[in-house]
Amino acid sequence: DHEGDARKLVDPHVYEVSSLSFKGLAFDGKDQSILVSGESGAGKTETVKIAMNHIASVQRGKTASSDSGAFSDPVVERVLESNPLLEAFGNAKTRRNDNSSRFGKYTQLQFDQGDKTSRAFANK
């Protein structure tokens, strides 16, 4: 039943998913999970980068923006910069992708309720 909610007529969007996830965590107090899947070269890594930066920016609240207007959290950047090192241990060339990952990745974001600026990220 799609009456009254146009969002149900289209595929999920990364910003909506990350916003709803943060809302569920911050306001409802419920743990959240986002599963990003797709074929090789479909943009999974980029989608995770966008979602992580968006959640970090929503969690941080309003801050002075950079000249480019793009938000980038230093902790998120550190996690994302570790990606090539992690991938070096399990990638192989395939017909569709020269650097295809041979394993899944699990990234956990933890937010501290008491301190809005405190964030901990752990790769597993």
Side-chain angles (χ1 to χ4, degrees):
D1 185 51
H2 300 304
E3 280 188 45
D5 193 353
R7 293 177 299 178
K8 294 182 180 179
L9 297 173
V10 296
D11 291 336
H13 191 276
V14 64
Y15 290 113
E16 180 186 16
V17 170
S18 60
S19 291
L20 291 173
S21 179
F22 183 76
K23 180 182 172 193
L25 178 67
F27 300 110
D28 300 336
K30 296 186 178 178
D31 291 344
Q32 303 291 307
S33 295
I34 300 173
L35 176 65
V36 179
S37 64
E39 294 182 14
S40 178
K44 296 177 296 293
T45 300
E46 287 302 312
T47 300
V48 170
K49 287 180 189 180
I50 292 167
M52 286 176 63
N53 270 316
H54 185 246
I55 291 170
S57 69
V58 170
Q59 189 269 344
R60 174 179 280 177
K62 293 188 181 221
T63 60
S65 62
S66 65
D67 292 337
S68 68
F71 175 84
S72 182
D73 186 274
V75 179
V76 171
E77 286 301 315
R78 260 186 284 157
V79 171
L80 297 176
E81 287 170 0
S82 70
N83 197 46
L85 176 65
L86 294 172
E87 287 186 350
F89 292 106
N91 287 6
K93 185 174 182 173
T94 65
R95 283 188 223 161
R96 296 182 62 177
N97 189 341
D98 283 347
N99 198 27
S100 182
S101 179
R102 303 286 95 206
F103 58 92
K105 287 179 265 185
Y106 174 78
T107 303
Q108 180 177 352
L109 286 71
Q110 297 177 348
F111 294 89
D112 183 351
Q113 287 183 328
D115 181 4
K116 265 189 131 177
T117 61
S118 176
R119 280 177 298 286
F121 295 85
N123 266 330
K124 295 184 181 182

